[in-house]
């Protein structure tokens, strides 16, 4: 297997562009493995091989290469794919999956078959004709009832006028009879509305009962699906056994003792490659992983681009997998020209556009987090770089955030009093923000406002969607600046601050109906290097002087 999945390379050193990192669970030491230019070049050769051997690939997934050295000093390259390739877990020339899957293969097959059946039943229950009929009938009845109420309201007003006239012109028995006639008309209208509701309920309630029964069945099926998936995952996590370079073995369940493990843990490239190297007495020198195929569902991974260890599935395993790794030979100079974790300085990659004793305002570049994430590969951020520059003990507080892909003005407070003042302004909508975007198509409207409530499905984060029932109020004003070829340049003024608000209001058919250029998460498939959304202007009241500050930076596209 080793010879079949390897090729001999030279021994040149190379520049480091990324570090795979993890804390040794025994010593607490930070363990590191580089991604070098040499490893990236090898990965690019694999991309060419994929184009030749698997031109039909459309499913996006991670692929990886590991540059390693044998005990005899021979340089080797191992290659791996995440999950399945063309429906197979093992292919000649590729690192095999980690031992364990075969132990639960029968249970997995049975469970997957059950899950497929449940999925089909859920689709059928969600598409029963009674749902559409109920929705259509409800809308028609609602419109008819409103029309009836409107007519009766007009009649009520006419009776009130007539009642006043009768009181002024009649007395005694004649007045009593006339008023009773008016009351009778009112009662008759109430009876008409009551009869209408009764007829409506006779039609809608049976449909509602069918839908409620279908929803109950769907909830039962979803619980069964969760339980089946949970049971299968638990079996697989107990069966999957990883080996590190000290020769120690642990199951996934032993390594991840707290919390739920995500689906597919143990099937990623990096664990496969490192486990294989450890079990074949190889010294790993450098590793590189890239995405190939359609973009990832969240829009963050794109074909041909390099990525570090995935946060949920790989990063938690890195410390164990790298434990016991022997030092690379002296001929490997991978660390000679390493790039630091925090790249650039504040005067270059993160220009300060305003600073005083209580504020710092940064021009954030695209593809940089506003604040650090939970894991090692998401620590690089504007806040991290500020703290590295000013000192880890310096009080710096983020007042708001920009999406990772969005560039523009980002505001930080330097003390808690300033933070409270600025946060209060945001809550009261007293801070004025202007964004500029280039859309992936033309629009007809010159200007207007988009009022679409947004909801984030917790099972599909970070994706946001329009939802009139569960969504939070979200309002955006827009103005067309110019049409450039097939693109529209837009000025956005968000009146609320929901996650992905401008991106959804732009892409949704009820909004502008055109995604922002580069926004793969919301439907733009054009080849472009970035999300064309920029926080151009920010106006706020200074927390000390209470004078208004207006900041503006150029749009980089």
């Amino acid at each position: 297997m080793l010879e079949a999945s390897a090729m001999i390379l030279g021994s040149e050193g190379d520049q480091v562009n990324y570090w795979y990192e993890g804390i040794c669970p025994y010593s607490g030491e930070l363990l590191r493995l580089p991604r070098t230019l040499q490893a990236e070049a090898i990965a690019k050769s694999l991309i060419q091989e994929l184009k030749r051997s698997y031109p039909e690939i459309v499913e996006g997934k991670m692929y990886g290469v590991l540059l390693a050295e044998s005990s005899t000093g021979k340089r080797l390259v191992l290659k791996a794919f995440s999950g399945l390739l063309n429906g197979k877990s093992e292919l000649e020339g590729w690192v095999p999956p980690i031992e364990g899957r075969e132990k639960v293969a029968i249970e997995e097959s049975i469970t997957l078959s059950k899950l497929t059946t449940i999925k089909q039943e859920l689709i059928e229950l969600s598409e029963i004709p009674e749902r559409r009929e109920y929705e259509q009938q409800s809308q028609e009845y609602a419109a008819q009832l409103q029309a009836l109420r409107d007519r009766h309201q007009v009649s009520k007003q006419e009776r009130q006028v007539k009642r006043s006239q009768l009181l002024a012109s009649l007395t005694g028995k004649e007045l009593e009879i006339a008023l009773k006639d008016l009351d009778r008309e009112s009662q008759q209208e109430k009876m008409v509305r009551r009869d209408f509701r009764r007829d409506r309920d006779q039609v809608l309630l049976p449909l509602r009962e069918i839908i409620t029964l279908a929803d109950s069945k769907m909830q039962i099926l979803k619980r069964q699906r969760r339980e089946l998936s949970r049971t299968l995952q638990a079996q697989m996590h107990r069966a999957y056994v990883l080996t590190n370079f000290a020769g120690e073995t642990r199951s996934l369940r032993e390594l991840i003792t707290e919390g739920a493990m995500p689906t597919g843990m143990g099937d990623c490239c990096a664990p496969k490659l490192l486990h294989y190297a450890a079990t074949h007495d190889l010294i790993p020198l450098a590793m590189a992983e890239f995405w190939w195929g359609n973009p990832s569902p969240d829009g963050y991974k794109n074909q041909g681009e390099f990525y570090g260890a995935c946060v949920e599935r790989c990063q938690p395993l890195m410390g164990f997998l790298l434990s016991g790794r022997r030092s690379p030979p002296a001929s490997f100079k991978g660390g000679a020209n390493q790039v630091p974790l925090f790249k650039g300085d504040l005067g270059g990659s993160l220009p300060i556009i305003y600073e005083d004793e209580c504020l710092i305002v940064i021009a954030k570049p695209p593809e940089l987090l506003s604040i650090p994430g939970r894991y090692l590969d998401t620590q690089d951020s504007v806040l991290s770089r500020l703290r590295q520059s000013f000192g880890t003990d310096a009080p710096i507080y983020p007042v708001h955030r920009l999406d990772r892909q969005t560039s523009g003005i980002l505001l930080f407070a330097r003390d808690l009093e300033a933070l409270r003042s600025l946060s209060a302004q945001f809550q009261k909508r007293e801070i004025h923000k202007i964004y500029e975007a280039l859309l992936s198509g033309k629009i007809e409207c010159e200007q207007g406002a988009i009022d679409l409530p947004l909801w984030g499905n917790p099972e599909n984060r970070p994706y946001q969607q329009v939802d009139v029932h569960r969504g939070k109020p979200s309002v955006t004003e827009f103005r067309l600046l110019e049409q450039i070829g097939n693109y529209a340049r837009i000025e956005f003024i968000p009146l609320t601050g929901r996650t992905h608000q401008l991106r959804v209001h732009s892409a949704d058919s009820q909004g502008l109906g055109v995604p922002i250029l580069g926004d793969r998460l919301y439907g733009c498939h054009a080849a472009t290097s970035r999300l064309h959304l920029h926080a151009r202007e920010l106006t706020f009241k200074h927390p000390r002087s209470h004078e208004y500050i207006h900041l503006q930076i150029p749009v980089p596209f």
Side-chain angles (χ1 to χ4, degrees):
M1 174 59 69
L2 180 60
E3 294 299 326
S5 60
M7 66 179 182
I8 300 175
L9 290 181
S11 59
E12 300 86 352
D14 215 342
Q15 175 181 311
V16 176
N17 285 337
Y18 171 82
W19 289 100
Y20 291 89
E21 299 179 318
I23 302 297
C24 176
Y26 313 110
S27 67
E29 177 188 1
L30 176 64
L31 306 174
R32 313 176 87 193
L33 177 67
R35 183 182 80 211
T36 64
L37 284 179
Q38 184 181 16
E40 290 180 1
I42 296 168
K44 290 176 182 177
S45 298
L46 178 56
I47 289 176
Q48 298 305 314
E49 179 185 330
L50 288 171
K51 288 180 179 179
R52 292 191 302 269
S53 303
Y54 303 96
E56 74 284 0
I57 288 179
V58 293
E59 180 190 4
K61 65 171 67 268
M62 291 291 290
Y63 296 81
V65 296
L66 178 68
L67 175 61
E69 185 169 287
S70 71
S71 57
T72 61
K74 182 183 292 186
R75 290 291 172 88
L76 304 166
V77 170
L78 308 176
K79 60 183 181 181
F81 51 83
S82 292
L84 306 176
L85 179 56
N86 279 356
K88 297 180 179 179
S89 61
E90 292 194 50
L91 290 171
E92 183 179 356
W94 297 82
V95 166
I98 295 170
E99 293 84 351
R101 176 179 288 272
E102 70 281 355
K103 297 178 183 178
V104 292
I106 296 176
E107 291 88 344
E108 181 183 16
S109 176
I110 294 172
T111 299
L112 291 177
S113 177
K114 290 180 179 178
L115 291 173
T116 300
T117 301
I118 289 175
K119 180 180 179 180
Q120 185 58 41
E121 291 179 10
L122 286 171
I123 292 173
E124 292 173 358
L125 288 169
S126 68
E127 296 177 352
I128 58 174
E130 286 81 4
R131 293 185 188 277
R132 179 173 295 180
E133 184 179 354
Y134 180 85
E135 186 68 25
Q136 181 179 349
Q137 294 274 21
S138 295
Q139 293 177 359
E140 291 177 359
Y141 277 121
Q144 293 172 15
L145 181 58
Q146 187 58 51
L148 189 61
R149 285 172 174 163
D150 292 342
R151 291 198 302 272
H152 289 175
Q153 182 64 27
V154 172
S155 299
K156 181 179 179 180
Q157 293 171 353
E158 291 175 348
R159 286 195 299 273
Q160 289 174 342
V161 173
K162 193 171 183 180
R163 186 175 285 105
S164 298
Q165 293 172 345
L166 291 172
L167 290 170
S169 60
L170 298 177
T171 59
K173 194 66 174 178
E174 282 185 291
L175 176 60
E176 182 181 350
I177 293 173
L179 291 176
K180 284 183 178 181
D181 289 340
L182 293 178
D183 291 340
R184 192 177 300 109
E185 288 181 18
S186 177
Q187 292 298 322
Q188 287 175 343
E189 289 179 351
K190 289 180 181 179
M191 292 174 61
V192 169
R193 292 197 298 273
R194 182 195 64 197
D195 292 343
F196 179 87
R197 294 190 185 95
R198 182 197 61 211
D199 295 341
R200 176 199 62 188
D201 292 344
Q202 287 178 346
V203 174
L204 294 182
L205 284 178
L207 296 174
R208 182 70 259 175
E209 289 174 356
I210 294 173
I211 294 170
T212 300
L213 180 60
D215 289 343
S216 298
K217 291 180 180 179
M218 289 179 69
Q219 291 301 316
I220 294 172
L221 288 170
K222 288 178 180 178
R223 285 196 295 270
Q224 291 176 353
R225 182 176 62 183
R226 284 195 298 270
E227 187 58 36
L228 284 169
S229 298
R230 190 180 297 115
T231 301
L232 177 61
Q233 286 299 312
Q235 291 173 332
M236 297 179 74
H237 292 154
R238 286 192 296 269
Y240 268 58
V241 176
L242 299 174
T243 301
N244 65 15
F245 294 93
E248 298 166 318
T249 59
R250 296 287 186 277
S251 70
L252 285 176
R253 186 71 273 172
E254 291 173 310
L255 290 172
I256 310 298
T257 58
E258 297 181 3
M261 281 183 280
T263 301
M265 198 169 195
D267 280 333
C268 295
C269 302
K272 283 184 178 181
L273 290 166
L274 293 174
H275 170 84
Y276 187 90
T279 55
H280 288 77
D281 196 27
L282 300 175
I283 302 174
L285 304 178
M287 186 163 60
E289 294 178 287
F290 62 91
W291 185 268
W292 192 254
N294 289 339
S296 60
D298 59 12
Y300 290 124
K301 288 187 174 68
N302 304 304
Q303 181 164 283
E305 296 183 10
F306 290 101
Y307 296 94
C310 61
V311 172
E312 294 182 336
R313 297 177 178 86
C314 296
Q315 189 61 55
L317 304 175
M318 279 296 149
F320 174 80
L321 287 168
L322 292 172
S323 295
R325 169 176 168 254
R326 287 176 285 165
S327 299
S331 62
F332 184 75
K333 303 180 178 63
N337 300 307
Q338 73 179 62
V339 177
L341 178 62
F342 301 106
K343 309 173 185 68
D345 55 45
L346 289 175
S349 61
L350 286 183
I352 297 176
I353 60 177
Y354 180 91
E355 181 182 11
D356 61 24
E357 73 281 358
C358 62
L359 298 176
I360 301 176
V361 186
I362 298 296
K364 187 185 93 64
E367 298 304 329
L368 180 65
L369 293 168
S370 297
I371 64 173
R374 295 174 55 191
Y375 300 101
L376 284 173
D377 66 339
T378 55
Q379 292 304 295
D380 191 14
S381 67
V382 176
L383 180 58
S384 302
R385 296 188 191 185
L386 284 172
R387 286 178 172 163
Q388 184 188 44
S389 178
F390 288 95
T392 55
D393 295 331
I396 300 175
Y397 307 97
V399 179
H400 65 124
R401 303 180 193 180
L402 295 177
D403 288 349
R404 183 175 193 157
Q405 298 90 347
T406 303
S407 59
I409 299 174
L410 192 60
L411 175 62
F412 292 85
R414 303 184 74 167
D415 58 59
L416 290 175
E417 183 182 350
L419 176 64
R420 284 190 287 268
S421 172
L422 294 167
S423 297
Q425 292 182 53
F426 266 106
Q427 290 174 1
K428 296 176 183 177
R429 301 182 185 176
E430 295 174 348
I431 290 183
H432 187 66
K433 297 177 288 183
I434 298 179
Y435 290 72
E436 192 165 316
L438 196 62
L439 306 192
S440 58
K442 293 183 177 181
I443 65 170
E444 301 297 329
C445 300
E446 294 286 337
Q447 61 182 16
I450 303 168
D451 185 358
L452 296 173
L454 300 183
W455 176 69
N457 188 335
E459 297 183 359
N460 190 26
R461 291 175 177 168
Y463 188 82
Q464 306 290 310
Q465 64 193 64
V466 175
D467 192 308
V468 295
H469 301 295
R470 293 170 291 188
K472 295 180 180 179
S474 307
V475 182
T476 303
E477 294 179 349
F478 70 91
R479 180 168 66 93
L480 176 64
L481 299 178
E482 59 177 334
Q483 304 273 18
I484 309 171
N486 293 324
Y487 306 113
R489 186 174 292 276
I490 299 292
E491 180 181 272
F492 284 122
I493 300 177
L495 303 185
T496 53
R498 309 301 179 200
T499 300
H500 293 183
Q501 176 176 317
L502 302 182
R503 298 166 65 177
V504 179
H505 280 182
S506 179
D508 194 87
S509 60
Q510 301 173 74
L512 297 181
V514 181
I516 295 172
L517 184 61
D519 195 352
R520 296 179 176 89
L521 183 59
Y522 294 104
C524 176
H525 302 296
T528 181
S529 60
R530 61 159 294 172
L531 173 71
H532 287 65
L533 179 62
H534 181 72
R536 191 187 73 197
E537 298 179 48
L538 186 69
T539 304
F540 58 93
K541 188 184 293 185
H542 193 281
R544 296 279 197 278
S545 67
H546 303 296
E547 296 178 352
Y548 280 98
I549 294 178
H550 175 251
L551 301 172
Q552 182 172 352
I553 58 176
V555 178
F557 49 81

